[in-house]
Amino acid sequence: MTDRIEAAAAELRPLLQEFILWAPANAPGSDPDLVGPAALWHRLDVKGDAGLWKRQDLRNLLLERMPQAVEDPDAAADGMVPALRAYLTFLSSTGHLSAGSDTLEGLIEELDELEDDFVDAMEDALSERDWDEEEDELDEDESLGDFEPFADEISDLPTIRLRPDSELAGAARQVGLVGQARDLALWVGTGRKVGEETLLSDEEVADAVKVLGLSEPQSLWNIWNLAIDLEFIAPDGEDTVSVDSDTAAWPFEDDEDALDVWMLGLHSIDYGDPELDDDDLTLALSGLTRALLIRVLLNGGSRSLDELRDELAEATAEYDDLGTDAWAAAGDPLAPVIAWLTGYGMVTVEDSDVTLTPLGTEGVVHMIDEADIEVDARPAIDAMTALDLLSFSADLPEEEADAEFAAWMALRDPGRAASELLAAAAEDEADALIRVQAASMVGSLGEAAVPAWREALEEASLRPYAATHLAQLDAEDALEPTQADTHWLILDMWTISAGLGRTEFVSSLHDIGTAQTIIGLLDVIWKVPHPHLEELLEAVGDAHPDQQVGKAAKRALFKARSGK
């Protein structure tokens, strides 16, 4: 899941950069920074097309996703809807609103209808957070399963390598507890009546236990709750529940769908905590499953069961005055913990060692992210695509990026690497940052990259880099870069600096030279068919302190739009 979020964020980056450049001139009252989280969650929900927007998408996004995702509900209440209004207008006016979307007028109308409800939702979210903060202040003790006390140790961990979604989805399809939740949902069927005090009658419980092959009825309720978490079962009336229509198709063929289902049930790990007859003793062991997981992760992904028992017994005693009594009353408190985690595909136990599976590692990293704790998690080198490498490297310090590149290169020959990197950079001509990253990496490969550079001459967005590097390598029949090539490189530089903020953008303009030099450049650069040309010309006119440059930028923008 984490690498899917990173991939979605990388895919959205050039689109959001273009919006940031577009907004000052076209929607000056909006705050482009508020759009990022909304666009990301929309992309994850729509699964594949960041430009496909429906009215129902807006309702789900604003009333269900955003109350959970926004960091500042107060700012979101004031600016999220205007920002989204500007963003949708941008998508429509620039051709980024995909075919199949509702009309811009319909989307704007839906935003207007939802605005009051969204503000109410933000106010509710703010109230809940204030209440949570008050509770935190009243509660001096950390939860047994809280990750926060380990934040420093987590951030100091060496890079955690995550397996690709295809492998994780394959593992998710084999998870026994999800299969049992499906079977229970199918047994529930359509329109099953449930009671107020006991959901099922004794006869129904006995029948369900038999169908699932359970040893005792108590475990039925954890699987029932898991089926609800997975959305296999849902209420369809005041006193009836029904199986979801898609449940029978589990395990789903689509990797993303399969992994999404598993993630929906991730927090079911709490069902592994021991349940005792005494509620106070049960509460004293609450969070034990999470406490085990974080300790296994911090030990490199594997730890002996005996060490875990000793450390967790001590932690339980420190966490709650009844901890020692609860530990003793549970007999073997880790037995239900291990049973649930193995059933959910998160750990294996061999020779008394508890080891995180790739699926378990993905899940723990996801929970750490949810806790807003810094963790260095990246795709495994052998599973890392060229686009993964370029996307992650853009956000890494130079030394780390070089090490990542070297490890990736160790698994392929330079010629193949060059072709893969340039092919990844050509996927989206609007992403200047990825393009510059690719050119830098391929440039370091020397003559081995010449065939790939020659192929890249056919790609308009890569031709300037290919021509430059082929000339530097003195390759046979290499032509000198044209003026248009140089201008494309300048526009790429401006695109990247604009995404870093106004100060960086103005600095990049000054790097070109004097105001007169920039005016001369603007007189010709408007001819370059760069994907961000118009937005950049608007940004130059808005940002440069010299009025003559501003006028030249406006003239260039007019010519670019009129094609003259």
Side-chain angles (χ1 to χ4, degrees):
M1 182 69 173
T2 303
D3 55 333
R4 192 158 74 254
I5 292 175
E6 293 287 352
E11 177 188 327
L12 280 169
R13 185 188 295 120
L15 187 62
L16 293 176
Q17 285 178 338
E18 187 175 340
F19 174 59
I20 289 170
L21 292 170
W22 178 91
N26 297 279
S30 64
D31 183 354
D33 291 338
L34 292 174
V35 169
L40 176 60
W41 280 110
H42 167 263
R43 163 64 183 80
L44 292 170
D45 285 342
V46 171
K47 299 175 185 174
D49 191 346
L52 183 64
W53 286 80
K54 300 279 192 178
R55 293 181 68 141
Q56 186 58 41
D57 295 339
L58 292 170
R59 179 169 295 275
N60 293 338
L61 181 68
L62 290 176
L63 302 186
E64 296 181 21
R65 284 292 194 187
M66 288 298 97
Q68 305 297 322
V70 296
E71 295 183 0
D72 186 347
D74 199 22
D78 290 337
M80 177 69 77
V81 171
L84 273 176
R85 192 179 290 119
Y87 182 63
L88 292 171
T89 303
F90 156 75
L91 293 178
S92 178
S93 64
T94 57
H96 291 304
L97 193 65
S98 299
S101 297
D102 288 335
T103 65
L104 177 63
E105 292 75 14
L107 294 170
I108 298 299
E109 181 181 344
E110 185 71 14
L111 276 177
D112 293 341
E113 292 177 4
L114 291 172
E115 187 162 15
D116 289 344
D117 290 340
F118 175 70
V119 171
D120 290 341
M122 288 299 99
E123 290 176 352
D124 291 343
L126 193 60
S127 298
E128 289 177 8
R129 293 185 188 188
D130 290 343
W131 174 257
D132 290 341
E133 289 174 4
E134 290 176 9
E135 283 191 325
D136 290 342
E137 291 174 1
L138 293 172
D139 185 5
E140 296 180 358
D141 295 323
E142 300 285 357
S143 164
L144 180 61
D146 194 353
F147 290 175
E148 186 60 38
F150 302 98
D152 290 341
E153 294 177 68
I154 293 170
S155 64
D156 289 340
L157 283 171
T159 301
I160 297 170
R161 295 295 179 178
L162 304 173
R163 300 307 303 168
D165 284 356
S166 58
E167 290 184 24
L168 296 175
R173 294 185 184 99
Q174 304 301 317
V175 169
L177 284 171
V178 178
Q180 286 186 308
R182 174 206 57 202
D183 293 343
L184 177 60
L186 294 176
W187 174 85
V188 165
T190 302
R192 182 177 288 271
K193 283 190 170 292
V194 291
E196 293 184 7
E197 296 184 5
T198 58
L199 292 174
L200 302 176
S201 67
D202 291 343
E203 292 78 9
E204 286 176 314
V205 169
D207 188 32
V209 167
K210 182 179 179 182
V211 168
L212 297 181
L214 303 176
S215 58
E216 46 87 24
Q218 182 56 42
S219 56
L220 172 67
W221 301 114
N222 284 339
I223 297 175
W224 179 282
N225 289 332
L226 175 60
I228 293 173
D229 294 340
L230 299 175
E231 299 178 359
F232 285 174
I233 297 175
D236 63 353
E238 291 186 4
D239 60 351
T240 57
V241 295
S242 292
V243 60
D244 183 82
S245 59
D246 293 331
T247 300
W250 177 262
F252 302 145
E253 291 184 9
D254 182 80
D255 288 344
E256 191 169 346
D257 289 342
L259 196 52
D260 280 347
V261 166
W262 187 86
M263 280 292 180
L264 283 174
L266 179 58
H267 291 284
S268 74
I269 60 169
D270 295 326
Y271 305 154
D273 295 344
E275 295 183 47
L276 307 178
D277 293 335
D278 186 300
D279 289 343
D280 290 334
L281 295 181
T282 296
L283 187 60
L285 296 175
S286 176
L288 185 60
T289 309
R290 293 170 182 261
L292 179 142
L293 285 172
I294 195 61
R295 285 165 173 80
V296 174
L297 180 75
L298 290 173
N299 200 57
S302 185
R303 194 161 183 192
S304 79
L305 202 48
D306 290 339
E307 288 179 357
L308 288 167
R309 281 198 183 94
D310 291 343
E311 184 172 332
L312 289 169
E314 183 178 342
T316 303
E318 292 177 358
Y319 162 65
D320 194 294
D321 292 339
L322 296 175
T324 301
D325 293 340
W327 192 271
D332 183 1
L334 295 190
V337 170
I338 297 298
W340 190 270
L341 291 177
T342 54
Y344 209 64
M346 295 187 72
V347 304
T348 58
V349 180
E350 187 173 350
D351 297 330
S352 296
D353 286 335
V354 180
T355 302
L356 286 171
T357 64
L359 201 55
T361 301
E362 179 79 18
V364 178
V365 167
H366 183 77
M367 290 189 291
I368 290 171
D369 282 341
E370 285 186 327
D372 201 22
I373 296 172
E374 182 180 348
V375 61
D376 182 7
R378 308 173 201 166
I381 294 294
D382 67 312
M384 187 180 286
T385 66
L387 186 58
D388 287 336
L389 176 67
L390 293 168
S391 300
F392 276 92
S393 296
D395 297 321
L396 292 177
E398 184 177 352
E399 191 172 313
E400 285 189 50
D402 289 345
E404 205 81 347
F405 179 46
W408 187 80
M409 282 298 304
L411 301 179
R412 52 193 38 83
D413 68 77
R416 173 191 164 197
S419 295
E420 290 180 10
L421 289 165
L422 293 175
E427 287 185 19
D428 185 357
E429 72 167 10
D431 198 331
L433 183 58
I434 292 295
R435 191 157 51 245
V436 169
Q437 285 286 126
S440 175
M441 289 181 179
V442 176
S444 71
L445 302 179
E447 293 187 0
V450 167
W453 282 129
R454 290 194 187 281
E455 291 181 11
L457 288 171
E458 303 302 317
E459 290 286 344
S461 63
L462 293 179
R463 183 199 138 71
Y465 297 92
T468 300
H469 283 275
L470 287 170
Q472 290 173 350
L473 291 167
D474 198 22
E476 185 178 355
D477 297 329
L479 300 176
E480 289 296 319
T482 66
Q483 184 184 62
D485 292 333
T486 302
H487 291 166
W488 182 286
L489 298 179
I490 291 173
L491 290 168
D492 270 0
M493 178 189 69
W494 283 355
T495 301
I496 294 169
S497 63
L500 297 175
R502 185 183 181 91
T503 301
E504 289 292 334
F505 183 60
V506 172
S507 177
S508 71
L509 296 179
H510 290 317
D511 288 342
I512 298 298
T514 65
Q516 199 58 44
T517 301
I518 297 176
I519 290 172
L521 177 63
L522 292 171
D523 284 342
V524 292
I525 205 170
W526 64 268
K527 300 175 184 178
V528 179
H530 192 278
H532 297 300
L533 176 65
E534 293 185 14
E535 293 89 349
L536 288 169
L537 293 175
E538 287 180 352
V540 171
D542 179 61
H544 200 283
D546 191 295
Q547 290 185 352
Q548 296 306 312
V549 172
K551 291 179 179 179
K554 290 180 180 178
R555 288 196 301 271
L557 179 59
F558 173 79
K559 292 177 181 178
R561 286 176 172 168
S562 63
K564 297 179 181 180

